[in-house]
């Protein structure tokens, strides 16, 4: 009976539009009140469980990774990265559309968030595509699909949350997500190339840039590459925990933001101070004078740069606080619900119920894939994971399912949920960015904005969802795609 009441309340609360954290917490409290009368001491244990779950040291990684992504998002790094990658990919059939996937894959390794990735790259890319006459549905579909790489390619907030709930190593999950993440990006690009060959009109040929511009542009990617290596390398080589690596990433992102917005000003100021040293060689003094002449400091430059950096930091902190609060509150409610399910034996009953079907491991995974595909059409991805995992953990344990392997399958399914009509969050973010771009272009050109409907976004993502199903099938058929790298790096547990 408790199972039916729990699922009935869950359906009613979510269809009624109740906030996810409130819904999960309310379900836990109601279940404990009416189905656990015999042991009132569990109320105190329940409070301790919520407290222990919310004070886990690994949780620090979540706001830090979000802050790192916000700083990279607002520092102008995405613009430079997109321009450099587009120079290397224009010769492939599909032209600049490949730049969307490649840029999203690189940016995802910094941001860790699918929505942030899609929002950032779309605002950089959409004006260029509009001017060049690309098929808008395919462009928007590539941006939506590329944005979802943020939840799989490490560092991923989704993998951090999954690891916390199921008790798996975050480092192993990050390693496991790398190969499937790259496979997914390559599959997207292969699909774009094939579509461009079959229907040449969807992607006009681009002018090939010189090798000098291509190679020269790579130098601007070195800072972002160094940031990714500092974060992921420190985790993979065992030099830092995920929380420590996230803190290093925030520091690196802050340095990139300062360098990108105030770099030359800082260089000129430093050159001016060094020039005042009395024992400085004449040749060095002349060199410093040349630097100061090349970038003179005009009245108000310092104030404007300081104001810009304060604005970047303020927006980053506010956005980080908003997103982190939402995620951590849901996580605390999910831990509470997990305890309530265990206390009233829902988890045990669910495990026994599934075991009664005598399903093989493959049949269980396929059933869960179908379940999440349906659930993703009307539920947000993180909410979907945090709501269902407390129920699934004992079921997966009884079936002896590798939690790292299943975590990768689940995260790809969550990616599909991000772009699954009608409730995929990334779809609405992209449609909003598309309207903003159209409005800005119409104001600049003096014409009325002509924005299509969100149906264009729904149609554009469908080929990319097929690619996701292909990769899910490959990971299910060949578990080594997810488990080989963590087993090689950290040993087979």
């Amino acid at each position: 009976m408790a199972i039916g009441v729990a699922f009935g309340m869950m359906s009613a609360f979510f269809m009624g539009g109740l906030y996810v954290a409130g819904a999960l917490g309310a379900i836990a409290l109601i279940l404990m009140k009416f189905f656990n009368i015999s042991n009132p001491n569990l109320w105190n244990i329940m409070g301790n469980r919520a407290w222990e779950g919310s004070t886990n040291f690994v949780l620090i990684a979540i706001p830090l990774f979000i802050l790192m992504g916000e700083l990279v998002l607002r520092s102008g790094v995405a613009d430079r990265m997109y321009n450099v990658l587009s120079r290397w990919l224009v010769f492939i059939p599909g032209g600049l559309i490949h730049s969307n996937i490649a840029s999203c894959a690189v940016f995802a390794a910094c941001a860790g968030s699918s929505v942030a990735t899609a929002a950032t790259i779309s605002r950089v890319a959409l004006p260029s595509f509009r001017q060049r006459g690309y098929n808008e549905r395919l462009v928007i579909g590539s941006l939506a699909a590329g944005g979802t790489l943020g939840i799989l390619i490490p560092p991923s907030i989704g993998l951090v949350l999954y690891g916390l709930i199921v008790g798996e190593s975050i480092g192993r999950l990050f390693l496991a997500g790398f190969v499937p993440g790259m496979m997914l990006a390559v599959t997207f690009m292969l699909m774009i190339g094939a579509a461009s060959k079959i229907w040449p009109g969807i992607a006009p040929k681009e002018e090939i840039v010189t090798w000098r511009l291509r190679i020269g542009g790579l130098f601007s990617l070195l800072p972002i590459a160094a940031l990714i290596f500092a974060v992921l390398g420190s985790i993979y080589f065992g030099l830092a925990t995920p929380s420590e690596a996230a803190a290093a990433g925030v520091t690196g992102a802050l340095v990139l933001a300062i360098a990108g917005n105030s770099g030359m000003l800082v260089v000129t100021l430093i050159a001016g101070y060094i020039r005042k040293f009395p024992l400085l060689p004449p040749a060095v003094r002349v060199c410093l004078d040349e630097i100061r002449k090349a970038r003179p400091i005009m009245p108000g430059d310092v104030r404007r740069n300081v104001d810009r950096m304060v604005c970047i930091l303020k927006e980053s902190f506010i956005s980080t606080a908003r997103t982190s609060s939402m995620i951590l509150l849901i996580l605390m409610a999910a831990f509470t619900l997990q305890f309530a399910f265990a206390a009233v034996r829902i988890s045990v009953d669910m495990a026994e119920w599934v075991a009664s079907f005598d399903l093989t491991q493959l049949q269980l995974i396929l059933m869960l894939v179908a379940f999440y595909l349906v659930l993703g059409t009307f539920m947000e991805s993180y909410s979907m994971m945090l709501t269902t995992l407390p129920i699934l953990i004992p079921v997966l344990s009884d079936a002896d399912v590798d939690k790292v392997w299943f975590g990768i399958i689940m995260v790809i399914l969550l990616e599909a949920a991000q772009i699954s009509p009608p409730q995929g969050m990334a779809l609405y973010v992209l449609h909003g960015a598309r309207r903003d771009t159209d409005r800005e272009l119409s104001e600049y050109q003096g014409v009325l904005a002509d924005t299509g409907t969100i149906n264009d976004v729904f149609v554009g993502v469908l080929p990319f969802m097929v690619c996701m199903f292909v990769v899910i099938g490959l990971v299910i058929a060949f578990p080594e795609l997810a488990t080989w790298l963590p087993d090689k790096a950290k040993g087979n547990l």
Side-chain angles (χ1 to χ4, degrees):
M1 181 179 178
I3 296 176
V5 172
F7 281 99
M9 288 191 296
M10 201 172 289
S11 302
F13 287 161
F14 287 135
M15 287 191 293
L18 191 65
Y19 288 117
V20 175
L24 299 184
I27 292 169
L29 294 175
I30 293 171
L31 289 175
M32 291 291 291
K33 175 66 176 177
F34 294 101
F35 293 94
N36 193 54
I37 303 173
S38 61
N39 192 352
N41 291 328
L42 285 178
W43 283 98
N44 296 328
I45 301 174
M46 188 178 189
N48 290 334
R49 180 71 181 100
W51 172 255
E52 290 170 3
S54 61
T55 54
N56 191 324
F57 179 72
V58 180
L59 283 175
I60 299 173
I62 294 175
L64 288 175
F65 277 134
I66 294 173
L67 179 57
M68 183 180 74
E70 292 291 338
L71 288 171
V72 173
L73 164 65
R74 289 171 168 80
S75 63
V77 171
D79 298 34
R80 295 189 290 272
M81 178 187 69
Y82 187 86
N83 291 331
V84 171
L85 291 175
S86 65
R87 296 172 187 170
W88 285 88
L89 298 171
V90 290
F91 68 92
I92 305 175
L96 285 179
I97 303 180
H98 294 289
S99 304
N100 294 343
I101 304 299
S103 298
C104 287
V106 176
F107 192 82
C110 300
S113 167
S114 299
V115 175
T117 301
T120 304
I121 302 301
S122 64
R123 294 184 187 279
V124 176
L126 282 175
S128 299
F129 287 107
R130 197 50 79 72
Q131 294 168 2
R132 287 174 166 83
Y134 280 79
N135 180 276
E136 190 157 329
R137 287 183 171 179
L138 188 62
V139 170
I140 294 174
S142 68
L143 289 167
T148 61
L149 295 172
I151 202 174
L152 180 60
I153 295 179
S156 162
I157 297 169
L159 289 176
V160 173
L161 293 173
Y162 178 85
L164 284 169
I165 294 178
V166 303
E168 276 293 342
S169 164
I170 307 297
R172 290 182 67 86
L173 287 167
F174 279 2
L175 285 165
F178 186 77
V179 172
M182 292 298 103
M183 282 178 53
L184 195 57
V186 170
T187 306
F188 288 159
M189 296 177 75
L190 289 174
M191 188 276 295
I192 293 169
S196 301
K197 280 291 188 182
I198 298 172
W199 300 286
I202 65 177
K205 288 186 177 181
E206 294 284 344
E207 182 179 348
I208 306 298
V209 298
T210 63
W211 281 100
R212 181 178 178 182
L213 285 175
R214 291 185 192 177
I215 296 173
L218 290 178
F219 289 100
S220 62
L221 288 182
L222 292 179
I224 200 74
L227 178 63
I228 296 170
F229 181 80
V231 174
L232 300 182
S234 60
I235 297 174
Y236 295 160
F237 295 117
L239 301 177
T241 65
S243 301
E244 293 165 347
V250 171
T251 304
L254 179 60
V255 171
L256 288 183
I258 294 173
N261 292 276
S262 310
M264 291 306 299
L265 180 64
V266 172
V267 169
T268 304
L269 288 172
I270 293 174
Y273 284 121
I274 296 176
R275 187 186 180 282
K276 296 177 183 178
F277 291 174
L279 300 179
L280 205 64
V284 175
R285 196 182 302 275
V286 170
C287 181
L288 293 174
D289 287 338
E290 291 296 326
I291 292 175
R292 295 176 66 200
K293 290 178 182 177
R295 177 60 173 86
I297 298 177
M298 306 301 293
D301 278 359
V302 175
R303 179 61 182 271
R304 281 191 291 272
N305 273 269
V306 171
D307 290 344
R308 189 183 303 122
M309 281 306 305
V310 169
C311 182
I312 289 173
L313 292 174
K314 180 181 177 182
E315 291 176 354
S316 299
F317 292 152
I318 291 174
S319 181
T320 298
R322 185 184 298 116
T323 306
S324 301
S325 300
M326 180 267 293
I327 291 176
L328 294 176
L329 188 60
I330 294 175
L331 188 60
M332 185 174 70
F335 281 133
T336 307
L337 183 65
Q338 185 178 7
F339 175 80
F341 278 171
V344 300
R345 292 184 55 84
I346 287 181
S347 299
V348 176
D349 292 343
M350 281 292 298
E352 293 175 350
W353 179 70
V354 173
S356 67
F357 289 102
D358 198 23
L359 299 175
T360 65
Q361 190 180 91
L362 177 60
Q363 290 172 332
L364 174 63
I365 295 298
L366 293 176
M367 184 182 74
L368 292 176
V369 167
F371 169 71
Y372 276 114
L373 288 176
V374 173
L375 198 62
T377 60
F378 60 87
M379 201 169 180
E380 191 269 330
S381 58
Y382 288 144
S383 304
M384 187 167 66
M385 177 173 65
L386 296 173
T387 303
T388 57
L389 270 181
I391 305 171
L392 289 179
I393 291 173
V395 175
L396 296 172
S397 298
D398 284 357
D400 198 26
V401 174
D402 187 316
K403 304 272 196 328
V404 172
W405 171 59
F406 179 74
I408 301 306
I409 296 172
M410 184 176 193
V411 166
I412 299 176
L413 289 169
L414 296 182
E415 289 183 9
Q418 292 274 24
I419 61 173
S420 175
Q423 290 294 337
M425 185 181 295
L427 304 181
Y428 294 96
V429 170
L430 276 170
H431 189 56
R434 180 188 183 198
R435 286 189 299 184
D436 291 344
T437 300
D438 287 344
R439 186 177 63 253
E440 291 169 4
L441 286 175
S442 66
E443 290 174 356
Y444 177 74
Q445 297 172 352
V447 296
L448 291 175
D450 184 21
T451 303
T453 67
I454 198 168
N455 290 331
D456 295 330
V457 187
F458 291 165
V459 172
V461 301
L462 294 180
F464 296 94
M465 292 190 71
V466 173
C467 294
M468 288 182 172
F469 300 151
V470 170
V471 174
I472 289 173
L474 290 173
V475 174
I476 292 175
F478 306 100
E480 296 80 10
L481 292 172
T483 59
W484 177 80
L485 191 56
D487 288 346
K488 274 289 185 181
K490 294 184 175 290
N492 193 352
L493 297 179

